[in-house]
């Protein structure tokens, strides 16, 4: 199993377990997150790139992988992703570098699946 399959399988499995508890607050938060990234005044591609930059600055590897996958699905190209990476580093500083390494590895996996 590759990085992408492993991440997506684990995420799906755990989200199902979490949502099966039928907790109203958790379900509403998940719904809020889903609706935030829906088409609106900003297109999905732009929203995913914003989400990726924020995730890198916050240093959340799961969030980075998620937004990389969604960005790839939305048609973001390699040069655009590296601009997002550069913005993230300027905002977040050198502490973002380890996450950048893992992000580049994951992005390359996405590119290689095509």
């Amino acid at each position: 199993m590759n990085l992408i399959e492993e991440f997506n399988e684990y995420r799906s499995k755990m989200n199902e377990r979490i949502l099966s508890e039928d907790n109203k607050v958790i379900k509403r938060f998940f719904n809020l997150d889903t609706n935030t990234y829906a088409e609106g005044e900003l297109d999905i591609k732009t929203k995913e790139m914003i989400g990726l930059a924020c995730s890198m600055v916050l240093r959340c590897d799961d969030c980075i992988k998620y937004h990389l996958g969604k960005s790839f699905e939305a048609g973001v190209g390699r040069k655009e992703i590296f601009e997002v990476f550069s913005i993230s580093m300027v905002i977040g500083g050198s502490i973002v570098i380890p996450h950048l390494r893992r992000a580049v590895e994951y992005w390359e996996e996405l590119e290689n699946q095509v």
Side-chain angles (χ1 to χ4, degrees):
M1 187 178 311
N2 69 30
L3 287 172
I4 298 161
E5 291 168 341
E6 186 178 309
F7 172 73
N8 287 331
E9 184 179 301
Y10 178 76
R11 184 177 181 280
S12 292
K13 178 180 83 172
M14 294 311 298
N15 283 352
E16 282 180 33
R17 287 177 59 189
I18 291 164
L19 293 171
S20 73
E21 293 298 321
D22 203 28
N23 180 286
K24 183 170 36 173
V25 174
I26 291 173
K27 282 187 169 186
R28 285 184 176 173
F29 188 87
F30 273 55
N31 188 345
L32 176 65
D33 182 68
T34 298
N35 284 309
T36 297
Y37 291 95
E39 190 81 27
E41 294 301 316
L42 296 175
D43 62 19
I44 292 171
K45 184 175 171 180
T46 301
K47 288 183 175 188
E48 289 301 335
M49 289 188 289
I50 292 169
L52 174 58
C54 292
S55 297
M56 291 189 72
V57 171
L58 292 170
R59 302 184 307 273
C60 175
D61 283 332
D62 278 6
C63 302
I64 292 167
K65 288 176 183 175
Y66 176 79
H67 289 293
L68 283 169
K70 290 297 187 178
S71 292
F72 190 81
E73 288 174 16
V76 175
R78 187 176 185 86
K79 289 189 183 295
E80 291 169 304
I81 279 296
F82 272 83
E83 267 194 57
V84 174
F85 291 161
S86 66
I87 291 166
S88 302
M89 288 196 48
V90 167
I91 295 168
S94 62
I95 192 72
V96 172
I97 292 172
H99 303 278
L100 173 63
R101 290 182 188 118
R102 290 187 288 275
V104 170
E105 176 185 30
Y106 197 82
W107 183 258
E108 289 175 348
E109 285 280 329
L110 289 165
E111 289 178 321
N112 290 331
Q113 282 196 330
V114 177

